[in-house]
C-alpha cells in the first residue's frame, strides 16, 4: 500500500523565495546599459565586490565603474555590503532576478522596453559565444546538459503566451529549488551557475507591420 504522506527524499531541496525586482520605467532606462547589466550579473553570480575589482574584470577604469555602480544603487538594483574592510566600499546585488514584463503601451514605454531588450540581447549573445568557445573543454556531463535548440510551432497569440508562461514557471521552480546565487560555498562543490535563456517570438516577417495595419 502506498504511503499517503510520503517523506521527502534526502536529496530534495526545500523550495525558497527568489527575490526579484520589476523596474519602474526610469529604473529600466538606467539599467538598459550593457556594462551595468554585466556588473549586476557579476554581483549576482559571484557575490559582493568593490569598484576596483569589477573594473579589473571589465577592463574599465575604477572611475567609470564607480559611476555605473552609483546608477545601479540609485535605482535599488544593488546596495552596500557589510565587509571587514573599511577602506573599500563593497557592493552586492539586491535581488536575484530582474523581471521586465512586455510593454503593452506605445511611445516612450515601448522605446524603453526595446532599449532594455537590446542591451540584454547584446550581453546574452556575448555569453553564448563565450560558452561555445569553451564547449569543447567542458566535462562530458556538462556537454550533455548544454543545449542550443530552436523549435518553431504554429500557434495563436494566446497559445504562445501560455507556452512562454509555462516555460518560465518551470525555470523559476528550478531556481526556487536551487541554492541562492552568489554563495561562496558553491565554488567548491559540483554546483555551478547554469545559464538558461528563453527567447520566444513570432517568426520574423510573418506578421504585418503596424504601417500595413494602418493602411485603408
Amino acid at each position: 500500500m502506498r504511503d499517503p504522506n510520503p517523506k521527502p527524499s534526502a536529496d530534495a531541496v526545500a523550495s525558497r523565495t527568489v527575490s526579484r525586482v520589476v523596474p519602474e520605467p526610469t529604473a529600466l532606462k538606467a539599467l538598459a546599459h550593457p556594462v551595468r547589466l554585466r556588473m549586476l550579473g557579476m554581483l549576482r553570480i559571484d557575490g559582493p565586490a568593490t569598484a576596483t575589482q569589477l573594473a579589473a574584470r571589465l577592463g574599465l577604469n575604477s572611475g567609470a565603474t564607480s559611476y555605473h555602480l552609483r546608477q545601479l544603487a540609485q535605482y535599488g538594483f544593488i546596495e552596500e555590503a557589510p565587509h571587514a574592510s573599511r577602506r573599500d566600499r563593497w557592493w552586492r546585488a539586491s535581488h536575484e532576478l530582474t523581471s521586465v514584463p512586455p510593454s503593452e503601451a506605445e511611445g516612450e514605454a515601448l522605446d524603453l522596453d526595446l532599449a532594455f531588450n537590446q542591451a540584454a540581447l547584446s550581453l546574452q549573445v556575448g555569453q553564448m559565444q563565450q560558452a561555445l568557445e569553451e564547449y569543447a573543454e567542458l566535462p562530458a556531463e556538462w556537454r550533455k546538459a548544454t543545449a542550443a535548440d530552436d523549435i518553431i510551432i504554429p500557434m495563436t497569440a494566446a497559445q504562445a503566451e501560455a507556452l512562454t508562461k509555462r516555460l518560465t514557471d518551470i525555470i523559476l521552480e528550478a531556481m526556487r529549488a536551487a541554492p541562492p546565487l552568489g554563495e561562496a560555498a558553491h565554488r567548491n562543490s559540483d554546483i555551478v551557475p547554469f545559464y538558461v535563456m528563453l527567447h520566444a517570438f513570432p517568426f520574423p516577417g510573418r506578421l504585418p507591420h503596424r504601417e500595413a495595419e494602418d493602411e485603408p
Side-chain angles (χ1 to χ4, degrees):
M1 181 177 179
R2 181 176 297 176
D3 186 349
N5 298 301
K7 295 181 175 62
S9 68
D11 295 330
V13 180
S15 181
R16 63 183 181 83
T17 300
V18 174
S19 59
R20 67 165 76 187
V21 58
V22 181
E24 295 293 329
T26 305
L28 185 61
K29 184 176 182 179
L31 187 60
H33 191 291
V35 171
R36 290 174 201 158
L37 284 175
R38 285 187 66 191
M39 291 171 62
L40 181 57
M42 288 176 177
L43 292 174
R44 285 177 173 173
I45 295 169
D46 298 318
T50 67
T52 301
Q53 292 170 337
L54 291 172
R57 294 171 63 186
L58 290 165
L60 300 173
N61 62 64
S62 57
T65 306
S66 294
Y67 170 75
H68 290 306
L69 285 169
R70 289 195 299 272
Q71 290 294 304
L72 290 171
Q74 179 179 345
Y75 294 102
F77 296 108
I78 65 173
E79 59 194 12
E80 285 195 58
H83 200 271
S85 172
R86 296 184 178 180
R87 213 164 79 180
D88 297 312
R89 197 175 190 184
W90 288 74
W91 297 94
R92 66 184 177 192
S94 302
H95 314 86
E96 288 184 77
L97 189 65
T98 303
S99 295
V100 182
S103 175
E104 297 182 8
E106 302 293 334
E108 186 178 2
L110 181 57
D111 291 341
L112 288 174
D113 194 1
L114 289 170
F116 173 78
N117 279 288
Q118 184 60 58
L121 180 62
S122 176
L123 174 64
Q124 291 163 0
V125 168
Q127 296 284 7
M128 290 171 66
Q129 183 61 48
Q130 185 176 347
L132 181 60
E133 292 168 1
E134 297 177 359
Y135 179 78
E137 307 301 324
L138 290 177
E141 63 267 26
W142 282 109
R143 289 201 302 272
K144 288 171 64 177
T146 301
D149 303 323
D150 62 320
I151 301 167
I152 303 171
I153 311 169
M155 286 187 157
T156 66
Q159 290 170 332
E161 181 181 0
L163 176 62
T164 54
K165 183 181 184 304
R166 183 179 176 189
L167 293 173
T168 300
D169 288 344
I170 292 171
I171 295 168
L172 289 177
E173 180 182 350
M175 193 173 186
R176 286 192 293 268
L181 280 169
E183 289 190 356
H186 298 178
R187 300 170 192 168
N188 298 318
S189 71
D190 293 331
I191 298 177
V192 300
F194 189 65
Y195 207 149
V196 180
M197 300 181 194
L198 176 59
H199 294 275
F201 45 84
F203 195 89
R206 297 305 174 96
L207 288 174
H209 294 180
R210 279 181 293 177
E211 292 82 0
E213 292 176 349
D214 294 339
E215 290 178 0

